[in-house]
C-alpha cells in the first residue's frame, strides 16, 4: 500500500486511549510520519504498551479498509490541517483528526449557525425552527444541526425550503442514517448541495456516548447555537454548554411557561443567552449584515422586491406627503380602522410614515 497523508492521520486516530490534544502535540513536535517510521521519540513520551504498539506496528489493513469503506459510501476524508479542514474546528481543544464528509464539503468553510432542540418538540416549536432556519438561510448563513427528529429535522427542512445547503452532523458512520426515518431527509440534504459530516468511520453504529461528541462538532462548526425548545435534561443544553466552552454565541427562543420543552431555553436565557424572537436578533449579535453571504445580485433583487412590495401597499399609497388624517386613510384603502392603525404603526416602525398631530405623514425614502 502506498501511504498518503490521510493514511497516517487515520493511523493516528486508531491509537487507543490517547487524548486528541496529546496526539496533536506529538505531531507538532515530531512530525506526523516520523511518529510511525521512527522509534527514537518514544523514550520521551509516556505511553502504554498498546499505544507504543499502535505507533510501531500500525494496523494498515484496517486503515485501508476505512478508506475503501468511505469511498464506497461516497464520502471524502478530510484530515486535520488540510486546506479543506474547517478553520473553526481547529480552535477546539479536541478537534477531530479526520472528518468523513458526504456532499458539498465547501459548506464547512462558510458561516454557519446551529439550530438544535428537543426531539419531542411541539408543532409550534417545529414551525418556529423551520421559519427561523429559512430566514437565516435567506441572509446567507448555513444552517447546521444534528439530523435528529424534532427541532433538528425542522431546521434542516427550513434551510431546504430556501434551496440552501445545510450541514447535518451525525453520530454514526456515513453508511448509516440515524434515525432511519430521516433517510429521505438525508437524501434531500445531499440532493440540495448540502453535506453530512461525521468523525466516526463507516460501520460505526449509534451509541449514547457518541452524541455528546457529535454535539461539540455542531457548535464547533458554527458561529453560534440557537436552542428552540429544550427540556432541562435535553442534549441540546450539552450543545449550548459546548458552545460556551468554545467561545461561541448562545441564543435561545422563549416559549410558554406551561411547556416543559421551553424550560431549558428559559434557563439558558437566565444564564445570559441571547433571547431570540426574530432573525435580526441573531444577525445583530453576530454583527453581520442581513445580506451577509448573499451575492450582490441576489441582495439587490431582494431589496428591490421588498421596496416594490412596500410602495405597492394600498395603505401606504393612501398616506400623502402632507398630513393625512386617519379617517381619510381608512376611506381610501377600504380597510377597518383597527387594521389601518396596526399597519400604520408597522409602517412607522419601518421609517415609512410618521405620526404627527392630525394624522400621518408619508416619508420620502428617496
Amino acid at each position: 500500500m502506498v501511504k498518503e497523508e490521510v493514511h497516517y492521520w487515520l493511523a493516528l486516530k486508531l491509537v487507543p486511549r490517547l487524548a486528541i490534544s496529546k496526539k496533536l502535540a506529538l505531531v507538532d513536535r515530531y512530525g506526523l510520519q516520523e511518529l510511525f517510521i521512527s522509534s527514537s521519540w518514544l523514550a520521551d513520551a509516556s505511553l502504554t504498551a498498546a499505544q507504543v504498539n499502535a505507533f510501531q506496528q500500525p494496523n494498515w489493513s484496517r486503515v485501508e479498509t476505512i478508506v475503501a469503506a468511505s469511498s464506497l459510501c461516497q464520502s471524502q476524508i478530510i484530515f486535520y490541517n488540510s486546506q479543506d479542514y474547517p478553520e473553526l474546528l481547529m480552535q477546539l481543544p479536541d478537534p477531530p483528526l479526520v472528518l468523513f464528509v458526504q456532499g458539498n464539503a465547501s459548506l464547512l468553510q462558510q458561516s454557519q449557525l446551529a439550530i438544535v432542540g428537543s426531539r419531542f418538540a411541539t408543532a409550534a416549536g417545529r414551525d418556529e425552527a423551520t421559519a427561523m432556519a429559512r430566514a437565516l438561510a435567506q441572509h446567507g448563513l448555513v444552517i447546521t444541526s444534528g439530523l435528529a427528529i424534532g427541532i433538528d429535522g425542522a431546521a434542516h427542512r427550513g434551510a431546504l425550503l430556501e434551496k440552501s445547503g445545510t450541514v447535518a452532523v451525525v453520530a454514526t458512520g456515513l453508511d448509516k442514517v440515524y434515525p432511519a426515518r430521516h433517510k429521505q431527509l438525508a437524501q434531500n440534504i445531499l440532493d440540495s448541495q448540502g453535506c453530512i459530516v461525521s468523525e466516526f468511520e463507516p460501520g460505526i453504529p449509534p451509541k449514547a456516548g457518541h452524541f455528546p461528541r457529535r454535539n461539540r462538532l455542531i457548535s464547533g462548526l458554527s458561529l453560534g447555537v440557537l436552542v428552540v425548545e429544550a427540556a432541562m435534561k435535553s442534549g441540546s443544553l450539552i450543545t449550548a454548554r459546548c458552545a460556551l466552552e468554545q467561545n461561541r454565541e448562545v441564543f435561545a427562543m422563549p416559549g410558554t411557561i406551561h411547556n416543559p420543552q421551553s424550560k431549558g431555553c428559559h434557563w439558558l436565557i437566565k444564564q445570559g443567552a441571547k433571547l431570540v424572537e426574530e432573525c435580526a436578533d441573531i444577525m445583530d449579535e453576530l454583527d453581520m449584515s442581513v445580506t451577509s453571504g448573499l451575492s450582490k445580485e441576489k441582495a439587490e433583487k431582494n431589496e428591490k422586491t421588498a421596496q416594490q412590495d412596500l410602495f405597492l401597499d394600498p395603505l401606504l399609497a393612501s398616506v400623502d406627503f402632507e398630513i393625512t388624517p386617519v379617517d381619510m386613510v381608512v376611506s381610501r384603502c377600504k380597510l377597518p380602522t383597527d387594521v389601518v392603525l396596526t399597519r400604520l404603526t408597522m409602517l412607522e416602525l419601518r421609517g415609512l410614515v410618521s405620526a404627527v398631530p392630525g394624522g400621518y405623514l408619508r416619508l420620502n425614502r428617496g
Side-chain angles (χ1 to χ4, degrees):
M1 178 185 76
V2 177
K3 299 181 184 63
E4 300 177 6
E5 189 171 2
V6 65
H7 295 98
Y8 288 102
W9 281 109
L10 287 168
L12 185 61
K13 174 180 170 65
L14 295 177
V15 175
R17 299 185 179 279
L18 188 62
I20 291 176
S21 58
K22 188 165 185 179
K23 290 178 179 180
L24 290 174
L26 290 173
V27 171
D28 186 57
R29 183 172 181 181
Y30 301 107
L32 177 62
Q33 295 185 22
E34 188 70 16
L35 295 176
F36 296 96
I37 63 177
S38 171
S39 59
S40 60
W41 64 273
L42 289 170
D44 299 327
S46 178
L47 301 176
T48 66
Q51 292 165 352
V52 170
N53 185 65
F55 281 112
Q56 291 190 314
Q57 297 181 330
N59 190 342
W60 295 119
S61 176
R62 185 178 172 192
V63 167
E64 190 61 29
T65 298
I66 294 172
V67 172
S70 179
S71 177
L72 192 63
C73 65
Q74 298 182 309
S75 70
Q76 59 178 301
I77 303 174
I78 298 175
F79 52 85
Y80 186 84
N81 82 8
S82 68
Q83 64 178 8
D84 296 323
Y85 193 89
E87 184 176 346
L88 284 180
L89 286 188
M90 299 185 79
Q91 300 174 6
L92 306 189
D94 57 346
L97 299 180
V98 297
L99 291 171
F100 300 90
V101 184
Q102 288 176 326
N104 182 12
S106 68
L107 288 182
L108 301 179
Q109 303 285 1
Q110 297 183 29
S111 297
Q112 300 169 54
L113 194 288
I115 299 180
V116 298
S118 175
R119 290 176 296 157
F120 309 105
T122 64
R126 294 193 298 271
D127 289 346
E128 291 287 358
T130 297
M132 185 63 69
R134 186 175 191 179
L136 291 167
Q138 287 174 345
H139 294 321
L141 283 171
V142 173
I143 302 303
T144 298
S145 197
L147 200 66
I149 60 174
I151 295 299
D152 289 24
H156 290 305
R157 292 187 179 96
L160 293 176
L161 285 174
E162 187 57 25
K163 298 184 175 11
S164 172
T166 178
V167 175
V169 186
V170 300
T172 67
L174 293 185
D175 58 328
K176 306 177 184 300
V177 175
Y178 180 84
R181 73 180 75 176
H182 275 176
K183 284 185 177 179
Q184 187 58 56
L185 176 57
Q187 189 59 53
N188 292 344
I189 288 172
L190 297 177
D191 290 343
S192 301
Q193 293 300 303
C195 73
I196 304 177
V197 186
S198 178
E199 66 177 312
F200 301 102
E201 65 197 69
I204 298 296
K207 294 181 180 179
H210 292 175
F211 291 92
R213 293 176 63 184
R214 183 275 308 265
N215 293 348
R216 91 187 193 288
L217 296 189
I218 292 175
S219 57
L221 284 165
S222 306
L223 298 173
V225 174
L226 169 64
V227 182
V228 181
E229 288 197 344
M232 284 302 296
K233 294 186 178 180
S234 170
S236 301
L237 298 190
I238 296 176
T239 309
R241 187 191 69 209
C242 291
L244 288 173
E245 293 172 350
Q246 296 162 352
N247 199 30
R248 307 292 193 258
E249 299 291 343
V250 177
F251 306 95
M253 187 171 289
T256 170
I257 60 173
H258 303 295
N259 178 12
Q261 299 302 327
S262 293
K263 291 188 179 298
C265 293
H266 295 167
W267 181 82
L268 286 172
I269 292 168
K270 290 176 183 177
Q271 302 307 308
K274 170 85 172 184
L275 187 153
V276 169
E277 295 178 314
E278 58 184 359
C279 174
D281 295 328
I282 292 175
M283 302 303 290
D284 289 346
E285 192 71 16
L286 296 178
D287 195 24
M288 298 176 69
S289 164
V290 293
T291 57
S292 173
L294 294 176
S295 68
K296 182 178 179 181
E297 180 180 353
K298 185 174 181 180
E300 289 176 348
K301 181 179 179 181
N302 287 352
E303 176 66 18
K304 182 178 180 181
T305 300
Q307 291 299 321
Q308 287 175 341
D309 289 345
L310 285 169
F311 285 97
L312 288 175
D313 186 330
L315 189 143
L316 182 61
S318 300
V319 182
D320 296 327
F321 291 103
E322 299 177 354
I323 297 174
T324 311
V326 172
D327 58 353
M328 184 175 293
V329 178
V330 171
S331 175
R332 287 175 175 174
C333 67
K334 312 298 184 185
L335 292 171
T337 301
D338 59 337
V339 173
V340 168
L341 290 172
T342 298
R343 291 176 64 175
L344 282 170
T345 300
M346 294 174 64
L347 291 173
E348 184 178 13
L349 290 172
R350 301 181 76 166
L352 297 171
V353 301
S354 177
V356 296
Y360 282 80
L361 187 69
R362 184 167 169 178
L363 302 178
N364 187 352
R365 295 273 299 209

